[in-house]
Amino acid sequence: MDTTVTRSGLEGVVVADTRLSEVDGERGRLVVAGHDIEGLAGGTSFEALAELLWTGALPQAGAQGRTREALAEGRARAFARLEAAGPGRFADGMDALRATTAQLAADDGFDTPAALTGAVAVFAAAWARVRAGGRPVAPDRSLPHAADYLRMIEGEAPTPARAAALEAYLVTVADHGMNASTFAARVVASTGSDPVSAIVAAIGALKGPLHGGAPGPVLDMLDAIGEPDQAAQWVEAELAAGRRIMGMGHRIYRVRDPRAAVLEAALGRLEQAGVTGGRLALARAVERAAEGALRAKYPDRALAANVEFYTAVLLDAVGLGRTAFSPTFAVGRVAGWCAHVLEQRATGRLIRPASRYVGPPG
């Protein structure tokens, strides 16, 4: 008798030992290299977070200039190849990001995490800029990575509050356990292929709506509701019609996604600085209404706000268009992908799972 255990979604199957991050779904914790995400986001620069992932330690105070310079060099090298890459010819930002990144060559200097992370930011910003009717803007080596990403999209340096809010988002989403795109990157890395190929595979996985493509519809939902006092009635009607409430529920978390709390706090800081998209109060009302209605309808299922719920509100308040949401997710997550590629190449082996044949006998 065949006693092979089959899990079509690989739930509970451990495929690697990692020092990079742990997702505790029962307690609602995300630990990145020994640090709770709440302690990192809002107080740690993207450069420092990248160094933590790539080296295993946060840089000493004032000593993160090396990573900042390496990211700036990566942006500059990618911009020099931008015209040939042609991101503006694609209607979809993730198609553009995948195609432009695929044109890089590991043996042409794009074999390091900093070079690839810088390139993804340049290509995502250039696509958003061109689709809005502008021309690509060259990177500014003097700016931090998050601020320069916004500047390359908008054409001018953002306010410190908006740059800080985006940086909190990039730090929050940089790594999250063995998610689909990270696993895709590690599978490619396990074959001995180059880092560019691994990152391209990860981008392809992130494009899927079940992984990275849902923040935009959260704004559609909030626009449809309109006012906080309409939230409960709207949610009840949607559930009665058998439709999903966007931004609620997660494959792993049995309680509220800790990243939702981090991004909600970042939105609060943005409002205190006088920058607001006008949706924070509405989002809070919808979250409360949705959590209560879902608990009543599905008492045996844990359905709370996930990272996408407040991602949509934050990125909108920062000034990004909805079509740029998924590429911006990649701008943050690529730091984690690169760390997993390094780890897989150093300690892993070829990933080769088995399958069970259920077709007709030969």
Side-chain angles (χ1 to χ4, degrees):
M1 182 177 65
D2 185 357
T3 59
T4 302
V5 176
T6 300
R7 295 187 177 94
S8 60
L10 297 182
E11 293 94 341
V13 177
V14 175
V15 299
D17 292 328
T18 182
R19 62 162 186 82
L20 298 173
S21 64
E22 178 186 25
V23 181
D24 186 336
E26 295 298 325
R27 293 191 295 167
R29 290 186 67 204
L30 170 60
V31 178
V32 178
H35 301 265
D36 280 299
I37 193 62
E38 292 90 342
L40 290 172
T44 302
S45 70
F46 181 74
E47 286 82 356
L49 188 280
E51 188 162 328
L52 172 65
L53 288 170
W54 299 340
T55 70
L58 286 168
Q60 297 296 317
Q64 55 187 291
R66 179 179 58 186
T67 301
R68 180 164 166 172
E69 290 172 4
L71 286 169
E73 175 64 21
R75 296 197 301 273
R77 292 177 69 87
F79 190 80
R81 291 154 177 76
L82 188 63
E83 185 174 354
R89 69 181 186 272
F90 294 92
D92 181 87
M94 294 301 287
D95 286 343
L97 194 57
R98 184 188 62 227
T100 49
T101 305
Q103 295 179 58
L104 302 176
D107 59 3
D108 191 27
F110 290 96
D111 58 346
T112 67
L116 285 167
T117 301
V120 167
V122 166
F123 294 155
W127 177 84
R129 181 81 176 162
V130 171
R131 296 302 295 182
R135 293 181 58 81
V137 174
D140 183 341
R141 289 174 177 266
S142 70
L143 288 178
H145 193 68
D148 202 25
Y149 176 61
L150 269 183
R151 189 194 67 85
M152 288 188 291
I153 292 176
E154 298 179 343
E156 59 184 23
T159 64
R162 290 171 60 236
L166 179 64
E167 185 159 59
Y169 169 74
L170 297 181
V171 168
T172 300
V173 301
D175 199 56
H176 194 249
M178 195 60 68
N179 57 82
S181 57
T182 295
F183 184 54
R186 290 191 75 129
V187 169
V188 173
S190 79
T191 71
S193 188
D194 60 277
V196 173
S197 297
I199 299 310
V200 171
I203 292 170
L206 189 68
K207 183 187 176 187
L210 296 183
H211 185 19
V218 170
L219 288 187
D220 297 336
M221 174 182 70
L222 296 179
D223 288 344
I225 296 171
E227 298 294 336
D229 60 5
Q230 299 297 313
Q233 180 180 354
W234 190 94
V235 167
E236 292 289 355
E238 289 296 290
L239 291 178
R243 290 189 284 267
R244 289 180 57 205
I245 307 300
M246 302 307 298
M248 301 297 292
H250 192 274
R251 180 76 166 264
I252 304 297
Y253 291 114
R254 305 275 68 84
V255 294
R256 194 184 197 223
D257 187 332
R259 298 170 299 171
V262 168
L263 298 184
E264 182 186 9
L267 270 162
R269 293 192 296 272
L270 200 56
E271 283 204 341
Q272 291 174 2
V275 181
T276 174
R279 289 191 172 96
L280 180 55
L282 174 59
R284 286 170 168 161
V286 173
E287 182 189 6
R288 288 193 300 270
E291 188 169 337
L294 288 166
R295 187 184 304 114
K297 187 175 179 65
Y298 306 108
D300 297 329
R301 296 173 61 187
L303 297 169
N306 61 41
V307 67
E308 293 164 350
F309 194 93
Y310 285 100
T311 287
V313 186
L314 178 67
L315 296 185
D316 176 69
V318 164
L320 296 180
R322 300 178 198 201
T323 57
F325 286 2
S326 289
T328 302
F329 192 166
V331 171
R333 181 57 59 85
V334 65
W337 291 336
C338 288
H340 280 272
V341 169
L342 291 174
E343 189 173 72
Q344 182 67 37
R345 290 165 68 92
T347 65
R349 59 180 298 188
L350 176 65
I351 297 174
R352 188 12 178 125
S355 59
R356 187 199 305 270
Y357 178 67
V358 296

